[in-house]
Amino acid sequence: METFVADPTRLVISAIVGIIVLLVLIMKFKLQPVLAIILSAIVIGVGAGMSGEMIVATINKGMSRTLEGIALLIGLGSMFGAILEISGGAQRIATTLLAQFGEKRAAWALGITGVVIATPVFFDAGLIILIPLAFTIAKKTGKSSMFYVIPLLAGLAVGHTFIPPTPGPVLVANILEVDLGLVIIVGVCIGFVAMVLAGIVFGRYCGMKFDVPVPKNIADMPEYDESKLPPFTTVVAIILIPLFLIVLNTVSAVIPATAPLWPVFRFIGTPFIALTISTLVALYVLGVKHGYTLRELEKVMTASLGPTGLIMLVTAGGGVLRYMLQDSGLGEIIGETVSATPLPLVLVAFLVAGLVRISVGSATVAMTMAAGIMAAMPEIALLGQLHKAAMVAAIAGGATICSHVNDSGFWLVKSLVEIDEKTTLKTWTVMETIVGCTGVAGALVLSLVA
């Protein structure tokens, strides 16, 4: 379908009205987000002057193309996380790191654990699995739980934001046509700095500033028998399988001697193939060998897929908004405006993602829309792979900042830690913003040398 170009003023007004409609429907009338997103997209299309046929075609394209690169990752990630949880794999990583680092450096152990766990597992799942450990350490040391909760949250946020195969950066990399192995390398480097600043440094401040006791129900949580937990090296090796295969594909492409194996590396380095392999290995090593029957594992994995339907639909809804704005010509308008300003493209990408994040709340929607708008700019095609990888980090950073009341993660953290909205804003929201700002700072530095 050819790109439809509306009158610039009319299109900008339609886009603003559409976003306002989206916010009002979700925040005021509490309409289901998927329905609100579709209605908002229709408002934008009608306002821009698109025909009914073109609006329908754009919605269908947005749904199909967005899910094409992300649906399997979401499902596989859920199943992988379920196996990791029932086997005690996540618990083993955390307890081992804690034993190595000691209680004085427990924040580092929790931060690193969060990064490792969040790459193959959803943020929400990783938080629910690991937060009892943060509370247990707080109970043992008698300190505010914020000393340990914030580093864990920062680690999870970094893994979820910057490092594939978590769906967000994979989606952005696909839209911008960036090599995924390069995105992983950049994400790990920038993410580590973000974890230190947002988790270790800011976490210490939060622990001293906010005296948050351990939730009363922590005593009722089941204790793991450490003698029955899987080996640390085994769990880490399985988690790193998809990262290794994706990076192997990237590195091998620049080594002529490996040319005969390039087709194999490209196949196993495809994100959903790599995650499928790691899930099958986890199924056997952490599941069957851990004493579970295939029937029991099938039930656990099937149950884990329950929440993924909503995640996929909201993600696809973000894709619909992206294509509605892109096909109506907004990307070209923004591109022309940006070309007349001295702002670096990575900073523009960060600001676009940040504005959507603050307005809509969904990090995935923010990543999708920002990537779509940036991809529509002619200048992007001229950038090198490293510069584009930096842009992925900038978009991911913008989609992380300023989590507040329109973000489900805000309410999940508030509920689990048992703090009020004001304290959540001063801790969780600021932590997320530090992660995001570190991302764009690293991206800016990288873009200068790319």
Side-chain angles (χ1 to χ4, degrees):
M1 184 178 66
E2 295 184 1
T3 301
F4 168 82
V5 181
D7 173 74
T9 303
R10 179 176 180 177
L11 177 55
V12 171
I13 293 174
S14 298
I16 293 173
V17 171
I19 296 299
I20 291 174
V21 168
L22 176 63
L23 294 175
V24 171
L25 289 177
I26 292 176
M27 301 179 69
K28 175 68 174 177
F29 295 102
K30 310 300 180 184
L31 190 65
Q32 213 289 325
V34 175
L35 185 57
I37 289 172
I38 298 300
L39 291 175
S40 173
I42 293 173
V43 168
I44 293 171
V46 171
M50 297 172 71
S51 66
E53 183 179 353
M54 189 175 294
I55 290 173
V56 171
T58 300
I59 290 175
N60 283 330
K61 181 171 70 172
M63 294 289 289
S64 60
R65 291 192 181 180
T66 303
L67 288 179
E68 181 181 30
I70 211 81
L72 277 174
L73 288 179
I74 293 174
L76 290 167
S78 292
M79 291 187 287
F80 186 93
I83 297 171
L84 202 62
E85 180 180 6
I86 64 168
S87 67
Q91 185 78 6
R92 168 58 77 191
I93 290 177
T95 53
T96 301
L97 288 176
L98 184 60
Q100 294 296 318
F101 281 83
E103 286 186 8
K104 290 185 178 180
R105 297 184 180 87
W108 284 89
L110 289 168
I112 293 172
T113 300
V115 173
V116 173
I117 295 298
T119 52
V121 178
F122 289 127
F123 175 89
D124 292 2
L127 177 58
I128 292 170
I129 293 168
L130 294 175
I131 202 163
L133 183 66
F135 290 146
T136 300
I137 297 173
K139 183 178 180 181
K140 185 182 298 185
T141 61
K143 294 182 177 180
S144 167
S145 61
M146 282 295 165
F147 271 108
Y148 310 104
V149 169
I150 293 298
L152 174 61
L153 291 174
L156 289 168
V158 163
H160 180 72
T161 300
F162 297 115
I163 308 173
T166 192
V170 172
L171 181 64
V172 177
N174 286 343
I175 293 173
L176 296 179
E177 298 181 352
V178 192
D179 183 89
L180 209 56
L182 196 57
V183 173
I184 291 175
I185 295 171
V186 170
V188 169
C189 295
I190 293 177
F192 179 77
V193 178
M195 188 276 290
V196 172
L197 295 177
I200 308 304
V201 178
F202 182 65
R204 181 173 177 79
Y205 165 80
C206 288
M208 298 174 66
K209 180 74 173 179
F210 304 97
D211 185 15
V212 178
V214 172
K216 295 180 181 179
N217 63 348
I218 188 65
D220 299 327
M221 291 184 178
E223 294 287 338
Y224 283 93
D225 182 353
E226 291 196 27
S227 65
K228 296 181 180 180
L229 296 179
F232 173 78
T233 53
T234 300
V235 178
V236 172
I238 293 173
I239 289 175
L240 293 180
I241 285 175
L243 300 180
F244 172 76
L245 294 178
I246 293 170
V247 172
L248 177 64
N249 177 39
T250 299
V251 174
S252 66
V254 297
I255 303 177
T258 63
L261 295 175
W262 284 352
V264 175
F265 290 149
R266 279 197 296 268
F267 176 71
I268 62 177
T270 303
F272 77 86
I273 295 295
L275 198 51
T276 296
I277 293 171
S278 65
T279 302
L280 289 173
V281 173
L283 179 69
Y284 177 71
V285 177
L286 300 180
V288 174
K289 289 191 69 176
H290 210 61
Y292 291 95
T293 66
L294 288 176
R295 178 65 175 171
E296 290 172 332
L297 291 169
E298 187 271 335
K299 288 183 178 179
V300 169
M301 294 167 74
T302 300
S304 74
L305 294 175
T308 61
L310 177 60
I311 295 171
M312 289 184 189
L313 283 174
V314 171
T315 301
V320 168
L321 281 175
R322 168 223 165 169
Y323 279 101
M324 192 63 71
L325 292 169
Q326 180 174 311
D327 288 355
S328 62
L330 183 64
E332 293 185 10
I333 293 174
I334 293 178
E336 293 173 1
T337 303
V338 170
S339 63
T341 68
L343 293 177
L345 286 174
V346 290
L347 184 56
V348 173
F350 171 80
L351 292 174
V352 172
L355 289 172
V356 177
R357 162 68 158 175
I358 294 168
S359 301
V360 179
S362 169
T364 303
V365 171
M367 287 188 189
T368 306
M369 290 185 65
I373 290 172
M374 298 306 294
M377 297 180 187
E379 295 92 334
I380 300 302
L382 304 177
L383 299 179
Q385 284 289 299
L386 186 58
H387 201 142
K388 287 185 178 180
M391 186 169 291
V392 173
I395 290 174
T400 304
I401 64 169
C402 300
S403 168
H404 60 98
V405 294
N406 61 355
D407 178 21
S408 61
F410 176 93
W411 297 105
L412 178 64
V413 171
K414 174 195 174 300
S415 301
L416 290 176
V417 187
E418 296 187 3
I419 51 180
D420 57 29
E421 289 84 355
K422 186 176 181 180
T423 303
T424 310
L425 285 168
K426 291 181 177 180
T427 54
W428 158 259
T429 301
V430 175
M431 182 277 295
E432 285 273 271
T433 303
I434 293 173
V435 169
C437 290
T438 304
V440 71
L444 277 170
V445 172
L446 194 59
S447 68
L448 294 176
V449 299

